[in-house]
Amino acid sequence: MTSPWIAWLTPWRCRAIFAALLAFGFYSNWNYLHYNCPLDLAGDEAHYWDWSRQLDLSYYSKGPVVAYLIRASCAIFGDTMPAVRFPAMVLALGTGIVTYWLIVRLFRSDRMALGAAILSGSVPAFMAGSLLMTIDPPFFFMWGVVTCLAVLAVLEDRKWAWPLLGLALGVGFLAKYTIFLWMIGFLVFLVIDKPSRKYLKSPWFYLAIVIALACTTPVVVWNAQHGWVSEKHVAADTATAFKLGSPFEMIGSQAAILGLSLFMIMVGASAYVFRREAKSDPHFRAIKYLACIGLTYFGIVFLQSLRSRIQPNWPAPAYFTLMVLSVYFLSVRLKQKNKWRPWWAGNLIMTVVTGIVLTPVAHDPSLIYRFLPKINWVVTKFRDKPMTARDLDPTARLRGWEKLGKHVGDELAKLGPGAFVMTEDYQRSSEMAFYVPGQPKTYCCASYLNPPRRASQFDIWPDRSLDPSENPSLVGKDCVFVGFMNKWPSSKLAFGQPPVKLPDLIIKAGGEQIAGFQVWLCRDFRGMKKTVEAEGNY
């Protein structure tokens, strides 16, 4: 019997509320970016924007989708911060819609789908995904589309869904290569689900694979023309030494990102699939599918954490199906009063309350700076070094770039025509390309240093080369250098006159220093040469 307090939620009312939530969320994000956002573009966002100014078949470390989406948005709204992030907002809408569709399709419950939308909206980490335009929003959206198409292809035996599945998988690859790992979880399901094994012999399954592989052609062609740098970069990015603490660090970071209460709900939901009671569940096949996709990917990332330090966003695709599984698990427990109370009081309420409390902080983390003295009163009892605002706020690295760009622009104007901007970091060079007035081409000397830092797309573009034999137009020009030149003596040797260090630019927020930038005036650029070591520094 349906509880009276949710009986009024008919399917159409649920959909109307869901549409209103999407519209309100989109409007709030758009208003935030235009009027209230204290966060400048992240380094990756600025870098992908710089990619979008030179559209290509592919790029150094990723496929071309992110660059094309940003360029399409900027062509409409101009090269502004909100325009760069607009595609992330649209893709967040799409992800919400495919999530709602998936739940209704699997469990025939609009109430459950609406609950998932509300629960997802209470997670600050998911809010960030709807605002920051990196490769993750298109990748996450295509992950959801592929998951939905597989439901039609396998659970509903719709043959027409197979070609679309392959196409979606291929487009996802052009956003982020790791979407092909989705296939591993899918294969696990096809193997362990007896009714689905027939598809392993079906030509439709292999047609989808062929279509997906065909979509990789732009990346393959581009890499063949550029020495397979993407493959070398990915290999170098993941092939690091074993570190015992990494798996524990991974689990801890995910619990912190999701919130401990939601993380525990996901653990409970995942464990439910393996319990004896789940085998008699009328939706056992559906929840088995969700678990195979989510847990397999999470397991792959966990194994990777045994040999290298993972980025906090790497496990995120697993949460697309694990969130759906968690909502279904809560609905099952809701029908079992003796088992419901711990999940309601101990986890669900805490998840929603935590989300409501942290939402303002997610939009302006400097709000918590006022508590830094009290936090350090506790921290200093366990370690000698107190925490700084930058330690406390992961978004601190998104602040100060606009001010730095204006400062660099003022100094650049003093040097006269032909002067250029250079840094020793590809993200910083991209930030300056976006925020220096006039949005000039900037240069990165990372792979020219001794010892060299990692290469980037700047090493692919001929017009960004610092080698005088490849780009003689820069020789003799003056330069504003942004970075720690004293740390890299080889960078000083690139100029005919000793560089002059300007006073540091200090960035503050909420009364606390969160960043400091060094700026140097350099005259008579002589050019730089890469070392042999730099050639393999991917």
Side-chain angles (χ1 to χ4, degrees):
M1 183 177 177
T2 304
S3 176
W5 65 279
I6 62 171
W8 68 277
L9 285 173
T10 63
W12 283 108
R13 285 173 178 169
C14 287
R15 294 172 192 181
I17 294 171
F18 174 67
L21 289 174
L22 288 183
F24 176 76
F26 187 86
Y27 171 78
S28 298
N29 285 341
W30 185 251
N31 185 71
Y32 170 69
L33 291 180
H34 276 84
Y35 304 109
N36 305 307
C37 183
L39 307 179
D40 297 328
L41 292 183
D44 279 342
E45 288 182 292
H47 195 46
Y48 300 144
W49 168 83
D50 211 1
W51 288 8
S52 78
R53 297 201 289 178
Q54 299 188 50
L55 296 177
D56 208 339
L57 292 176
S58 190
Y59 296 90
Y60 175 84
S61 57
K62 305 293 187 301
V65 162
V66 65
Y68 280 81
L69 289 173
I70 290 174
R71 183 44 42 202
S73 179
C74 289
I76 299 171
F77 301 109
D79 289 290
T80 63
M81 179 271 286
V84 172
R85 289 174 170 167
F86 180 75
M89 296 167 51
V90 175
L91 290 163
L93 286 180
T95 301
I97 291 170
V98 297
T99 302
Y100 194 101
W101 182 94
L102 179 65
I103 294 175
V104 172
R105 202 76 179 190
L106 290 177
F107 306 116
R108 310 298 176 186
S109 174
D110 283 87
R111 293 169 184 162
M112 195 186 304
L114 179 61
I118 295 172
L119 187 60
S120 297
S122 66
V123 181
F126 293 172
M127 298 177 199
S130 66
L131 287 173
L132 303 184
M133 185 53 195
T134 64
I135 56 173
D136 288 323
F139 166 58
F140 200 74
F141 172 69
M142 294 312 301
W143 184 284
V145 170
V146 171
T147 302
C148 291
L149 287 170
V151 168
L152 292 173
V154 175
L155 299 185
E156 299 187 15
D157 197 24
R158 305 293 179 87
K159 292 181 174 57
W160 56 264
W162 286 104
L164 293 178
L165 189 157
L167 180 61
L169 199 60
V171 173
F173 176 86
L174 297 178
K176 191 173 183 178
Y177 305 144
T178 49
I179 198 170
F180 275 3
L181 294 177
W182 177 92
M183 281 296 297
I184 299 178
F186 185 50
L187 285 170
V188 169
F189 175 72
L190 294 182
V191 170
I192 67 173
D193 184 58
K194 189 174 180 180
S196 301
R197 290 175 194 167
K198 63 181 180 181
Y199 293 108
L200 293 171
K201 301 178 182 179
S202 168
W204 293 99
F205 173 75
Y206 295 98
L207 175 62
I209 293 177
V210 169
I211 293 174
L213 293 177
C215 291
T216 69
T217 302
V219 173
V220 173
V221 170
W222 185 90
N223 270 274
Q225 296 171 343
H226 294 86
W228 303 102
V229 293
S230 297
E231 184 272 331
K232 294 172 183 176
H233 166 74
V234 172
D237 204 30
T238 56
T240 53
F242 172 84
K243 182 182 177 183
L244 182 60
S246 293
F248 303 104
E249 180 181 340
M250 172 197 163
I251 298 299
S253 69
Q254 296 311 297
I257 289 171
L258 293 172
L260 183 60
S261 51
L262 178 57
F263 186 77
M264 293 306 299
I265 290 174
M266 287 190 177
V267 171
S270 300
Y272 171 75
V273 180
F274 298 95
R275 293 173 64 92
R276 183 178 299 177
E277 63 179 299
K279 290 183 172 57
S280 59
D281 192 302
H283 298 290
F284 179 58
R285 197 175 176 212
I287 63 175
K288 185 166 57 174
Y289 169 72
L290 296 172
C292 285
I293 299 298
L295 293 180
T296 300
Y297 185 81
F298 193 90
I300 291 171
V301 178
F302 180 81
L303 291 176
Q304 177 61 32
S305 74
L306 295 174
R307 60 196 301 265
S308 66
R309 184 176 184 178
I310 68 159
Q311 297 300 318
N313 64 313
W314 285 8
Y319 303 139
F320 179 79
T321 53
L322 292 184
M323 177 64 81
V324 174
L325 181 63
S326 297
V327 173
Y328 177 75
F329 170 68
L330 290 174
S331 73
V332 171
R333 287 292 178 256
L334 180 61
K335 297 173 183 177
Q336 303 169 330
K337 294 184 179 180
N338 60 323
K339 296 181 179 181
W340 168 243
R341 188 174 296 277
W343 295 102
W344 169 263
N347 290 293
L348 183 57
I349 290 180
M350 185 59 66
T351 299
V352 176
V353 170
T354 301
I356 293 173
V357 171
L358 292 181
T359 293
V361 176
H363 286 84
D364 186 4
S366 65
L367 293 173
I368 61 176
Y369 292 178
R370 69 186 69 178
F371 301 107
L372 192 58
K374 294 181 180 180
I375 293 173
N376 276 325
W377 182 81
V378 176
V379 168
T380 51
K381 296 183 181 297
F382 300 95
R383 68 174 193 176
D384 296 332
K385 187 178 179 181
M387 293 185 69
T388 65
R390 195 172 178 87
D391 297 326
L392 191 65
D393 178 10
T395 69
R397 59 192 177 89
L398 277 67
R399 294 174 183 262
W401 296 112
E402 186 174 9
K403 292 181 181 178
L404 177 61
K406 184 179 184 304
H407 177 63
V408 170
D410 292 342
E411 298 301 329
L412 196 65
K414 296 176 184 178
L415 295 178
F420 62 97
V421 179
M422 181 167 66
T423 86
E424 84 278 27
D425 177 81
Y426 75 95
Q427 292 187 340
R428 192 176 299 139
S429 292
S430 299
E431 295 279 14
M432 293 301 93
F434 188 84
Y435 283 111
V436 169
Q439 297 182 326
K441 288 183 180 179
T442 56
Y443 299 82
C444 178
C445 66
S447 60
Y448 295 83
L449 299 173
N450 187 19
R453 302 181 69 185
R454 60 155 282 188
S456 69
Q457 184 66 28
F458 286 94
D459 297 279
I460 303 298
W461 287 322
D463 61 344
R464 308 294 181 98
S465 174
L466 299 174
D467 190 323
S469 64
E470 297 176 352
N471 193 10
S473 63
L474 292 180
V475 176
K477 301 291 179 62
D478 297 337
C479 165
V480 177
F481 186 95
V482 181
F484 301 97
M485 188 170 268
N486 283 334
K487 187 178 178 181
W488 309 99
S490 58
S491 60
K492 292 184 177 181
L493 301 178
F495 300 94
Q497 299 181 29
V500 177
K501 183 178 181 297
L502 300 176
D504 289 353
L505 178 66
I506 303 301
I507 304 298
K508 292 187 176 182
E512 298 286 338
Q513 179 178 333
I514 57 173
F517 298 103
Q518 291 187 9
V519 180
W520 303 71
L521 296 184
C522 308
R523 298 185 181 274
D524 189 17
F525 183 66
R526 298 293 180 84
M528 303 180 76
K529 291 279 189 178
K530 291 182 182 179
T531 64
V532 174
E533 181 184 359
E535 296 300 324
N537 194 38
Y538 298 99

